[in-house]
Amino acid sequence: MAYKASGAGYADVARHFRTLIESGELHPGDSLPSVQEIREQFNVSAKTVSRALAVLKQEGHVTSRGSLGTVVAENRPTYRSGASRIGLINKGGTGFLGGETAVEHMAGMRSVDDLAVAEALAVELREEIAVRTRVFVRDGKRSVYSVSCYHVRAVGAVPELPEQGSLPGQWQALYAERTGREVHRSPERYSARIATPDELRRLHVADDASSARAVLVVSTVFHDEEGPLAYWEDVYAPGLSHVAASP
């Protein structure tokens, strides 16, 4: 099938090969067709093919292998951080891995009771912030509990943040469009700590009071010229550690 949609052809090409890889039709080490073969198959330019392959490489699905060309990666990322999902969506990829969905979407205003969140957003304990949460499920198993906390300045520009349901776009783009201020993101920070009972409950992990359960946490802070706007934290189920870094 030829893909001729102007400006979106690379996303279609990337989606085609991503599906083949995630469905198991293409295995680790298998070579993808040459650039010329992909051009002919999809009726697109060499630039479009290059963009599609770049997206697949950033997602960790493929890698370059000398004379073999582009091949399916041997060790593809098993899990993905929130920031990496945004980066890949912006580059035409997908925010989800194969077999992955998101459940238990919740949103609302609440007072800050976590010192780490208060420090990240430069607010006092018990101040009001917007919080959005969801749980990622892959192949029937809960893998990531995602928590996004927003400063009231972000809520002022994007009042949809504490409301239930999907946002009308990525919040950073909405904020920038409505305020004229660019949003920047700090590098992701990887750490480990003991999971809270609520985190274990959301991840459907039995809370054994006799033993602590360690979890990997990936966090990042978004800010504009005036200071912090959002703090994101992804808590991975105990035992999960192979996480794709943000592009």
Side-chain angles (χ1 to χ4, degrees):
M1 178 178 180
Y3 292 88
K4 301 181 181 180
S6 176
Y10 76 95
D12 295 321
V13 175
R15 185 181 304 112
H16 170 78
F17 288 106
R18 183 187 304 115
T19 298
L20 293 180
I21 293 170
E22 293 185 343
S23 68
E25 292 185 55
L26 285 176
H27 302 87
D30 286 351
S31 295
L32 270 62
S34 67
V35 171
Q36 183 58 38
E37 289 171 333
I38 296 175
R39 286 189 59 191
E40 294 175 356
Q41 179 180 354
F42 294 92
N43 192 23
V44 295
S45 68
K47 182 178 180 180
T48 295
V49 176
S50 295
R51 291 185 69 186
L53 295 178
V55 166
L56 292 172
K57 288 178 182 177
Q58 290 163 348
E59 293 176 342
H61 284 95
V62 302
T63 187
S64 297
R65 186 74 62 78
S67 60
L68 295 177
T70 302
V71 302
V72 179
E74 296 288 345
N75 296 307
R76 295 187 292 116
T78 307
Y79 303 97
R80 183 169 288 167
S81 68
S84 71
R85 295 176 194 275
I86 289 178
L88 293 170
I89 290 172
N90 288 339
K91 295 177 183 296
T94 174
F96 290 93
L97 293 164
E100 187 179 53
T101 59
V103 299
E104 292 186 11
H105 297 258
M106 300 175 65
M109 297 295 295
R110 69 175 67 165
S111 60
V112 179
D113 59 4
D114 186 318
L115 183 59
V117 174
E119 292 178 345
L121 291 178
V123 300
E124 298 293 332
L125 289 173
R126 292 180 293 282
E127 281 192 38
E128 289 283 297
I129 61 172
V131 179
R132 297 177 67 88
T133 67
R134 57 180 171 171
V135 179
F136 288 94
V137 181
R138 191 173 191 202
D139 298 329
K141 295 182 179 180
R142 297 189 172 211
S143 56
V144 185
Y145 175 41
S146 178
V147 182
S148 304
C149 304
Y150 300 90
H151 194 283
V152 291
R153 290 196 305 112
V155 179
V158 189
E160 300 95 336
L161 283 169
E163 298 175 358
Q164 294 287 352
S166 300
L167 298 176
Q170 292 191 36
W171 80 268
Q172 307 97 307
L174 295 171
Y175 182 88
E177 177 183 346
R178 296 171 182 178
T179 65
R181 297 172 183 163
E182 188 174 356
V183 178
H184 303 278
R185 178 177 62 80
S186 68
E188 291 177 329
R189 178 175 177 270
Y190 289 69
S191 60
R193 60 169 170 76
I194 302 303
T196 67
D198 181 61
E199 290 166 347
L200 294 177
R201 179 182 62 80
R202 296 293 293 273
L203 291 168
H204 284 185
V205 176
D207 183 10
D208 184 355
S210 65
S211 62
R213 305 299 294 272
V215 289
L216 170 69
V217 179
V218 180
S219 60
T220 190
V221 176
F222 297 82
H223 59 90
D224 66 1
E225 59 192 32
E226 292 190 9
L229 289 168
Y231 172 74
W232 283 16
E233 184 174 272
D234 292 317
V235 179
Y236 294 81
L240 302 187
S241 60
H242 190 193
V243 182
S246 60

